[in-house]
């Protein structure tokens, strides 16, 4: 009923930049918090950054000052601008959104398919 489609991942050298995008579609009444998570190889999934429907943001300490999360509510899209990338940023990055859909009484979590980010040093 809801799809989150991610794009922008790829291979980049240390110190470089990438911009991830995630667009939501479906029978959506509203979207609450949107977020980016990542899962490095062999590790647990961790929160990178989140953004409320009103635009308030929060970041994990390990990306503070390097990454910027933003959203375009008209496009139902969340972005993650990643600068000064490090080898340890290598991970599968996944988009999250809390979505209230048509015909439902409460919002539910939805996830994108994930996009690979590889940083070489």
């Amino acid at each position: 009923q809801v799809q989150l489609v991610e794009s922008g991942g790829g291979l980049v050298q240390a110190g470089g930049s990438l911009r991830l995008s995630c667009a939501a579609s479906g029978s959506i009444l509203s979207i609450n918090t949107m977020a980016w998570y990542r899962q490095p190889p062999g590790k647990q999934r961790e929160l990178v950054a989140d953004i409320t429907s009103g635009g308030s943001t929060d970041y994990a300490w390990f990306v503070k000052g390097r990454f910027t999360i933003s959203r375009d509510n008209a496009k139902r899209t969340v972005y993650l601008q990643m600068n000064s990338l490090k080898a340890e940023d290598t991970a599968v990055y996944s988009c999250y959104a809390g979505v209230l859909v048509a015909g439902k009484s409460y919002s539910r979590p939805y996830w994108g398919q994930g996009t690979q980010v590889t940083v070489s040093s």
Side-chain angles (χ1 to χ4, degrees):
Q1 194 167 4
V2 174
Q3 300 81 44
L4 302 180
V5 180
E6 299 161 318
S7 61
L11 175 64
V12 65
Q13 290 186 310
S17 298
L18 285 173
R19 190 187 192 217
L20 306 183
S21 300
C22 173
S25 62
S27 300
I28 297 171
L29 294 181
S30 62
I31 302 176
N32 298 318
T33 297
M34 304 184 81
W36 289 96
Y37 287 75
R38 72 185 188 186
Q39 187 167 17
K43 297 182 66 178
Q44 298 282 351
R45 185 175 62 190
E46 60 191 1
L47 177 67
V48 176
D50 59 30
I51 183 167
T52 69
S53 60
S56 297
T57 60
D58 192 28
Y59 297 91
W61 68 269
F62 48 82
V63 304
K64 187 76 173 181
R66 299 189 296 124
F67 292 7
T68 302
I69 189 171
S70 61
R71 66 192 285 170
D72 185 330
N73 289 329
K75 296 181 179 179
R76 301 191 185 279
T77 299
V78 64
Y79 307 93
L80 186 68
Q81 178 67 47
M82 304 185 293
N83 299 325
S84 302
L85 284 162
K86 306 174 181 179
E88 51 263 44
D89 294 319
T90 294
V92 174
Y93 284 71
S94 299
C95 176
Y96 161 90
V99 180
L100 179 65
V101 302
K104 303 298 182 181
S105 60
Y106 60 94
S107 62
R108 297 175 58 194
Y110 289 88
W111 293 88
Q113 75 281 5
T115 185
Q116 177 70 45
V117 171
T118 302
V119 184
S120 62
S121 60

